[in-house]
Amino acid sequence: MKIKQYAKIATVAVLLIGLNSAYAEDSKDAAKASDMLAVKQIGMELALDIARESVLACRAQGYNVVAVVVDRSAAVQAVLRDTLTPRFALQIAEEKANAVIMSGVNSGEFRSSRADIKDEMNEVDGITMLEGGLKIESGGSLLGAVGVSGAPGGDKDAACAQAALDKLADRLELMD
């Protein structure tokens, strides 16, 4: 009788050792898989073109603006200021783009959906809760954001940024 009990205990011990070894291998594989992440990053050429097309879209409507493109980490990738745009618009455009990166939605949507914290968010260094910042996406991945400032109203800033993104949509689709 005792031999059967020892045999059962030994069998369970062997199974537990095997499971533990398998778990350790799975853990190593999981750790290796999470050691590196593959992310899409916006390139300099595309960032420059988005900024340029945003400024040109507003210029065609008689507005002097600045466009700032930031990457997915909110690092400035490209800046273009039309000749007569006040320098203060540069900071505003960057902060609109940063609001997009922080929230994951267009700045106008963020402003309207979170009116309860708008005043507090405007106190965060580098963020402004104004319309005119749009997401730059490809294949469901957030690549960055474009912020435009200088037109007479954030809705007009946003329209210029959207015109640029629409014009360059084929290049964004190619990144899928």
Side-chain angles (χ1 to χ4, degrees):
M1 189 81 132
K2 287 190 176 189
I3 294 176
K4 286 185 179 180
Q5 285 179 333
Y6 289 127
K8 288 180 182 177
I9 292 172
T11 302
V12 169
V14 168
L15 287 172
L16 289 175
I17 290 170
L19 288 173
N20 189 33
S21 296
Y23 175 76
E25 287 300 315
D26 288 346
S27 294
K28 287 179 190 174
D29 290 342
K32 288 178 189 174
S34 65
D35 285 346
M36 299 276 198
L37 299 175
V39 296
K40 292 180 181 180
Q41 188 74 21
I42 190 168
M44 179 187 68
E45 292 79 8
L46 181 57
L48 282 170
D49 290 344
I50 291 170
R52 183 176 192 280
E53 293 301 330
S54 296
V55 170
L56 291 176
C58 271
R59 183 188 276 181
Q61 297 177 41
Y63 309 136
N64 292 297
V65 300
V66 63
V68 176
V69 176
V70 298
D71 68 12
R72 62 185 298 117
S73 299
V76 174
Q77 195 75 12
V79 176
L80 189 61
R81 183 183 69 84
D82 207 350
T83 307
L84 299 176
T85 308
R87 69 179 180 91
F88 307 104
L90 175 63
Q91 177 182 347
I92 295 167
E94 182 180 351
E95 291 181 357
K96 288 178 181 184
N98 291 344
V100 173
I101 298 301
M102 189 201 71
S103 68
V105 298
N106 293 337
S107 63
E109 181 182 344
F110 185 41
R111 177 185 169 93
S112 64
S113 69
R114 293 308 313 261
D116 59 320
I117 62 169
K118 178 178 65 79
D119 293 335
E120 291 84 354
M121 290 306 303
N122 281 329
E123 297 298 319
V124 176
D125 188 37
I127 303 289
T128 192
M129 298 282 286
L130 296 171
E131 192 171 358
L134 300 182
K135 297 188 294 184
I136 302 171
E137 293 181 297
S138 178
S141 294
L142 181 65
L143 300 177
V146 56
V148 176
S149 181
D155 58 329
K156 293 170 182 64
D157 292 330
C160 294
Q162 188 61 58
L165 294 174
D166 291 346
K167 185 169 184 175
L168 299 166
D170 58 329
R171 288 176 57 194
L172 289 167
E173 290 172 11
L174 291 174
M175 297 178 79
D176 290 343

